[in-house]
Amino acid sequence: MSARVLVIDDVPANLRLLEAKLSAEYFEVLTATSGPDALAICERGEPDIVLLDVMMPGMNGFEVCRRLKSTPATAHIPVVIVTALDQPRDRLQGLDAGADDFLTKPLDDAALFARVRSLARLKAMTDELRNRAVASRRLGIADPLVAAAAETGLNGRVLLVEDRPAIADRLENALSAFHLVSVETDARQAVQRACEEDYDSVLISLDLEGQDGLRLCSQIRSLDRTRDMSVLLMGEVENRARILRGLEIGAHDFLLRPIDRNELLARVRTQIRRKRFTDRLRDSLQSSMEMAVLDQLTGLHNRRFMDTRLAEMFDESALRARALSLLVLDVDHFKAVNDSWGHDAGDEVLKEFAERVRACTRGIDLVARMGGEEVVVVLPDTGPKAAYAVAERIRERVEGSPFPIYGATREIPVTVSIGVASRRAGDASCADVMKRADDALYRAKAGGRNQVIVASAA
């Protein structure tokens, strides 16, 4: 896939060379010759990936990477350090700064392009989540990017798939200082464990005896239960072609043997941090979706969702000539509860009321808070007699035992009045059913409350 790649280098010849290579592979290339210029471009959200030289005047590449990864607005942008530095301590310093990879010049073009495409896919997967999570701030949810950028990548759950005991022991000992590690020698058992347990990262040896590590990588990346786990491949230098194939399949990173302990820890930490970043965005999106359709006090659906869903349920009922009934519930004398016991006690009553109503309904029923103490229950495939039975069951459950308030230190009696109406053949819309249910509720309250009234079927 294509992507916008920002190349940062203070040497014009290096810039032109990388720009030409990337352009030939149909990447869109941006360039910068200094750290501050690069940070400004990234803050504007222009690049998908950053290729970063280390040796630059003023602000070196390590510092640029550190600033990008510690800033919520740019922490999601993949960074690959591309440098002539080739010592293990340089590689470790780059990974510790948050880089997603560290490539040493002269570059292997195939490895570079495979890495850029792999990171571009990963970023594309998180961009939509990130945009929606940012939008959730308008709903009052705490900024998810701040929490995600602060993730350390430590205390993860790691599955190590390696069938050579000595190597497995050495890797497990290194990782166990910072993570909870499980070792598996069989690829089929590894898939099963990955599906059953909640791992952050899976490390797969490409040298499994009689087993295909790439096949295992493909299975983990394709299954719904495991596709969000980070996958790191481990192989010999001569396995490079298979490793690059693994990146195409969906592996997130790789390690070449002999594996340096510090590089192992740094790469695993980076991948766990990236996974948790997307997990937080996904959780934030889920929270924003729930806030959009749920009443925050009771956990029932809100008025906005009910209006849309009720119209759909009415149309489906009419199309299929199936029954549809609607209950409108109102807590009796609720204002007196607030006046006598306080609004906190009133909130406790509404929460308990919602639980008792929910306990009397089915999963296919729609239960929504209309506002205040009024709740609507929509019952698909339910005629007037069955709807009355449901309403009476709710009324009895509400009246049957006192409601706890003040943290369950006191109890008060509560009752409910309910109006019931069912769809008629001549109804033009769900508003007709709602009007009859409201009228029935009014009669129930006018007639003494704590009762169920069914609207006339005529």
Side-chain angles (χ1 to χ4, degrees):
M1 66 178 297
S2 188
R4 295 183 304 276
V5 183
L6 172 61
V7 181
I8 309 165
D9 199 313
D10 64 324
V11 178
N14 292 342
L15 277 181
R16 288 195 296 271
L17 179 61
L18 264 179
E19 183 177 12
K21 288 182 176 182
L22 291 164
S23 296
E25 293 294 316
Y26 302 101
F27 293 105
E28 181 181 343
V29 183
L30 311 172
T31 61
T33 57
S34 71
D37 288 346
L39 292 174
I41 292 172
C42 291
E43 286 169 0
R44 292 196 297 269
E46 296 182 30
D48 294 311
I49 298 168
V50 171
L51 300 185
L52 175 62
D53 184 36
V54 172
M55 305 303 292
M56 295 186 296
M59 182 187 299
N60 67 30
F62 295 138
E63 179 60 23
V64 173
C65 183
R66 217 170 347 256
R67 294 196 186 190
L68 287 173
K69 292 299 183 178
S70 63
T71 302
T74 57
H76 65 294
I77 302 175
V79 176
V80 178
I81 289 180
V82 181
T83 179
L85 300 176
D86 60 359
Q87 296 301 306
R89 64 175 181 273
D90 300 317
R91 179 184 298 271
L92 182 59
Q93 188 174 356
L95 295 173
D96 281 341
D100 295 85
D101 206 348
F102 188 106
L103 301 181
T104 302
K105 299 175 182 177
L107 293 174
D108 178 332
D109 289 350
L112 171 65
F113 300 145
R115 201 70 179 102
V116 169
R117 290 191 179 97
S118 171
L119 290 171
R121 285 194 298 270
L122 290 174
K123 181 173 181 292
M125 289 169 57
T126 61
D127 272 351
E128 183 63 24
L129 282 175
R130 182 177 175 275
N131 292 337
R132 295 190 181 189
V134 170
S136 71
R137 287 181 296 193
R138 294 195 299 268
L139 298 173
I141 298 176
D143 190 343
L145 299 184
V146 173
E151 175 57 53
T152 64
L154 299 177
N155 300 313
R157 297 199 63 197
V158 178
L159 177 61
L160 173 61
V161 188
E162 172 62 75
D163 59 359
R164 289 174 289 184
I167 295 176
D169 287 346
R170 184 170 66 85
L171 296 176
E172 182 182 11
N173 289 337
L175 290 166
S176 294
F178 301 99
H179 308 285
L180 180 63
V181 183
S182 303
V183 178
E184 182 54 64
T185 60
D186 182 83
R188 286 174 295 184
Q189 289 298 317
V191 173
Q192 182 174 339
R193 293 183 68 172
C195 289
E196 294 175 351
E197 303 180 43
D198 188 21
Y199 290 107
D200 294 302
S201 186
V202 182
L203 276 73
I204 301 173
S205 172
L206 291 179
D207 307 304
L208 299 171
E209 183 68 29
Q211 303 176 81
D212 188 347
L214 287 184
R215 178 72 60 188
L216 173 56
C217 171
S218 174
Q219 289 176 313
I220 289 175
R221 294 294 291 137
S222 63
L223 296 173
D224 288 341
R225 182 68 179 85
T226 59
R227 62 174 34 140
D228 295 327
M229 296 178 187
S230 69
V231 177
L232 288 86
L233 302 178
M234 301 176 292
E236 307 290 343
V237 173
E238 53 266 29
N239 289 144
R240 181 172 290 274
R242 296 189 70 216
I243 288 173
L244 297 183
R245 178 62 175 153
L247 291 177
E248 294 177 6
I249 290 173
H252 299 82
D253 203 354
F254 63 90
L255 288 150
L256 295 177
R257 306 186 195 275
I259 295 173
D260 177 78
R261 176 185 183 277
N262 291 324
E263 182 175 349
L264 167 70
L265 293 175
R267 289 189 182 274
V268 169
R269 186 173 67 247
T270 294
Q271 293 308 317
I272 291 176
R273 186 168 57 231
R274 177 174 287 279
K275 177 186 180 295
R276 290 176 177 171
F277 182 95
T278 56
D279 285 347
R280 284 182 180 271
L281 296 185
R282 195 173 288 110
D283 290 345
S284 175
L285 176 58
Q286 180 65 30
S287 296
S288 66
M289 291 173 63
E290 290 178 355
M291 289 186 71
V293 301
L294 296 182
D295 173 65
Q296 296 304 295
L297 176 64
T298 63
L300 302 178
H301 286 106
N302 59 23
R303 173 83 182 252
R304 182 194 316 171
F305 179 83
M306 195 216 70
D307 287 343
T308 301
R309 184 68 185 117
L310 175 56
E312 294 171 351
M313 295 171 77
F314 177 89
D315 291 343
E316 183 176 356
S317 169
L319 179 65
R320 299 178 180 275
R322 306 291 291 270
L324 179 76
S325 294
L326 190 147
L327 317 181
V328 180
L329 301 76
D330 192 274
V331 177
D332 295 329
H333 302 297
F334 185 71
K335 183 177 184 301
V337 173
N338 282 332
D339 292 344
S340 300
W341 302 100
H343 288 278
D344 288 343
D347 287 349
E348 290 180 286
V349 167
L350 289 177
K351 290 178 185 178
E352 177 66 17
F353 177 63
E355 286 301 316
R356 297 192 189 192
V357 172
R358 191 185 284 114
C360 296
T361 56
R362 306 165 298 179
I364 63 171
D365 300 331
L366 172 61
V367 186
R369 183 186 180 195
M370 292 290 285
E373 67 276 20
E374 189 171 274
V375 167
V376 170
V377 179
V378 185
L379 305 169
D381 297 322
T382 306
K385 289 184 179 180
Y388 173 81
V390 173
E392 187 60 28
R393 186 164 65 244
I394 293 172
R395 188 198 65 77
E396 291 175 353
R397 181 135 187 164
V398 171
E399 183 188 29
S401 59
F403 278 48
I405 60 172
Y406 295 165
T409 61
R410 298 287 300 270
E411 292 182 332
I412 60 173
V414 175
T415 62
V416 61
S417 299
I418 305 175
V420 181
S422 299
R423 185 184 66 81
R424 298 173 180 169
D427 287 335
S429 72
C430 56
D432 295 334
V433 188
M434 180 68 77
K435 175 66 167 58
R436 291 198 302 276
D438 271 331
D439 291 343
L441 172 64
Y442 177 79
R443 296 201 305 274
K445 297 184 80 68
R449 294 184 169 83
N450 189 24
Q451 59 181 302
V452 177
I453 296 293
V454 180
S456 171

